[in-house]
Amino acid sequence: MNLYLRYFDSEILVSTVDEAIDFLSSLSEINVTHEMIADLREYAASNVLFPKRYKVRSRVYFIVIKTEARTMQDFKDKKAVRSKSVMVAEAKANEQKRLNEQITGWYEGTLDFKRVIVNHTGKCEYRDTVFTVNCIADSQQDCYNRIVEHLLTRVDNRSQFPAAKGKNFKCRFLGYAKPETLEKL
């Protein structure tokens, strides 16, 4: 993946972050800081495909775009542009892969759901409720299933739970469980 950088009429297509830093350092108006360098490295290593802009001064920015173009002319001709539908399909595939990746151990799962509360007048109202738990699971999807299964026995059955792929479920792997703990399950 290459990086395209542009600041007014100055532009370049580079293959490494170090080349990008050299280009930015050559521009007298841009003050290259350690934070900027770290952020550029993080952006280049991430799966984010959206352009990133950095503030130089009030209302003046330079942009960085990830591209698969090999040359500046390919970039200008938009030969390496991927369609939004391809990007969305790849993101969904990565999300599904992440959810179903089999790693047995401790997970911290957080679910933000709509809980039904019956108030003093007998009417139902939905309240945003955040539930966080540490559990042993085989995957992030299994962690989600265990959380929902647990909550269904403890809250009103009219409560609404988000999908595991949604933004209201967060899960992170904490570490492997000891074999004797797994045998008890």
Side-chain angles (χ1 to χ4, degrees):
M1 185 80 52
N2 292 325
L3 298 172
Y4 169 79
L5 290 92
R6 181 175 182 147
Y7 180 70
F8 291 106
D9 291 337
S10 301
E11 61 184 2
I12 192 169
L13 185 71
V14 296
S15 58
T16 66
V17 176
D18 292 329
E19 291 173 0
I21 293 167
D22 290 342
F23 169 73
L24 293 172
S25 298
S26 70
L27 302 172
S28 61
E29 293 184 35
I30 298 177
N31 180 23
V32 180
T33 64
H34 293 294
E35 293 82 18
M36 183 187 296
I37 294 170
D39 194 46
L40 267 172
R41 290 189 193 283
E42 184 179 320
Y43 172 70
S46 72
N47 293 332
V48 175
L49 296 175
F50 295 106
K52 187 161 182 77
R53 66 182 193 168
Y54 291 90
K55 190 172 191 173
V56 176
R57 60 180 185 276
S58 179
R59 296 182 289 189
V60 176
Y61 299 87
F62 73 86
I63 63 166
V64 181
I65 300 173
K66 284 186 183 179
T67 181
E68 294 177 356
R70 298 281 176 227
T71 65
M72 183 66 84
Q73 191 59 45
D74 287 349
F75 181 78
K76 296 285 184 176
D77 295 341
K78 298 182 180 182
K79 289 183 179 175
V81 174
R82 298 191 305 179
S83 68
K84 279 192 173 184
S85 60
V86 170
M87 289 173 32
V88 168
E90 286 178 359
K92 285 183 180 179
N94 287 339
E95 182 71 21
Q96 192 62 41
K97 181 182 174 188
R98 182 185 62 81
L99 279 172
N100 293 323
E101 188 176 11
Q102 295 288 319
I103 303 174
T104 303
W106 285 98
Y107 288 87
E108 178 185 70
T110 302
L111 190 67
D112 188 1
F113 68 103
K114 302 282 186 189
R115 182 177 185 174
V116 170
I117 305 290
V118 179
N119 63 21
H120 64 281
T121 62
K123 293 187 178 180
C124 296
E125 58 183 74
Y126 288 94
R127 289 205 185 141
D128 288 334
T129 305
V130 178
F131 181 77
T132 302
V133 67
N134 292 346
C135 67
I136 294 177
D138 294 328
S139 65
Q140 291 186 10
Q141 181 67 49
D142 185 38
C143 177
Y144 171 83
N145 293 340
R146 287 177 183 245
I147 291 171
V148 171
E149 203 174 280
H150 173 80
L151 289 172
L152 283 174
T153 63
R154 288 166 173 76
V155 298
D156 192 295
N157 62 357
R158 294 171 286 188
S159 297
Q160 299 173 356
F161 300 103
K165 296 180 205 172
K167 65 179 181 180
N168 291 328
F169 172 66
K170 294 177 183 63
C171 188
R172 67 183 179 109
F173 183 71
L174 298 175
Y176 294 99
K178 294 180 182 176
E180 55 270 9
T181 307
L182 295 174
E183 290 172 8
K184 293 178 184 177
L185 299 175

